Amino acid sequence: DCLCRCRCGCFGEEDGGSASSKRWAGRVLSVLQLCWYTGMCILSCWISSAVIFFLVPVEWDLEAPTDAWYNFTCAQDVSWLVENTHGMNWMLPPSQATSTGKPWRLALCQEASLSCAPGYSGSPAVVCNPSTGRIEASTTAVCEQVRCGLPPDLSHARPSNIAQKTFAPGMSVRY
């Protein structure tokens, strides 16, 4: 009885090609076993993740007042970052400024738009860097001071601080 017939002949025959045929069959069997075990490992990881995501949805984790369970968010709180970054003149947008005590976390690669402080303009934004897991300022995260220019000329009056060339919002001019 032959175990397998192929172009080389029968695997059980005593000819010169049978040893190489056995080695070839052994390698094929090893590759098939490796593929089987790799597939089972991937399938079991996928099923485990699906069960965890079903039991604890990501939305619950993002809204939790504690650190995130899943590693899909940056560990930093955007609110804390804005309050403790000096010299950038950032403010939280009104929708986030009114929330009480809840951390504002970003998902990986997510970008959040911020506001500028009064007297400043721009479109600041921060992004959660997936490689570092930290929040970083995007290239547009600059709030520049608004300049009002010179006060208007009034007939029969002159500004008292004529040496000043530019005025910022909130400054007053006396004539």
Side-chain angles (χ1 to χ4, degrees):
D1 284 320
C2 277
L3 299 175
C4 176
R5 287 225 177 253
C6 66
R7 289 182 19 205
C8 304
C10 187
F11 282 126
E13 292 177 358
E14 296 290 330
D15 62 346
S18 67
S20 65
S21 297
K22 287 180 183 178
R23 279 195 304 267
W24 181 81
R27 288 181 186 150
V28 168
L29 184 60
S30 295
V31 169
L32 289 175
Q33 285 176 334
L34 179 65
C35 291
W36 169 259
Y37 288 118
T38 302
M40 288 293 108
C41 182
I42 291 170
L43 182 64
S44 65
C45 288
W46 180 80
I47 290 171
S48 299
S49 298
V51 168
I52 290 171
F53 291 147
F54 176 76
L55 293 175
V56 183
V58 176
E59 294 81 24
W60 291 2
D61 191 36
L62 291 174
E63 295 172 1
T66 60
D67 286 338
W69 289 6
Y70 300 124
N71 194 16
F72 297 145
T73 61
C74 280
Q76 295 170 299
D77 178 14
V78 177
S79 306
W80 181 88
L81 182 73
V82 168
E83 292 169 6
N84 293 296
T85 303
H86 303 289
M88 297 300 284
N89 303 304
W90 293 340
M91 285 181 56
L92 291 175
S95 61
Q96 289 296 328
T98 58
S99 65
T100 55
K102 285 178 65 175
W104 183 20
R105 291 197 178 92
L106 300 179
L108 294 179
C109 300
Q110 183 181 5
E111 184 175 279
S113 297
L114 303 175
S115 299
C116 290
Y120 292 84
S121 69
S123 54
V126 292
V127 66
C128 179
N129 186 334
S131 60
T132 62
R134 299 188 57 80
I135 296 175
E136 297 176 357
S138 67
T139 56
T140 62
V142 178
C143 289
E144 296 180 356
Q145 189 172 17
V146 175
R147 302 286 182 190
C148 297
L150 294 173
D153 286 333
L154 300 176
S155 58
H156 307 294
R158 290 182 187 242
S160 61
N161 46 352
I162 198 79
Q164 192 151 350
K165 298 291 181 200
T166 61
F167 292 85
M171 292 179 76
S172 61
V173 177
R174 293 181 188 235
Y175 286 89

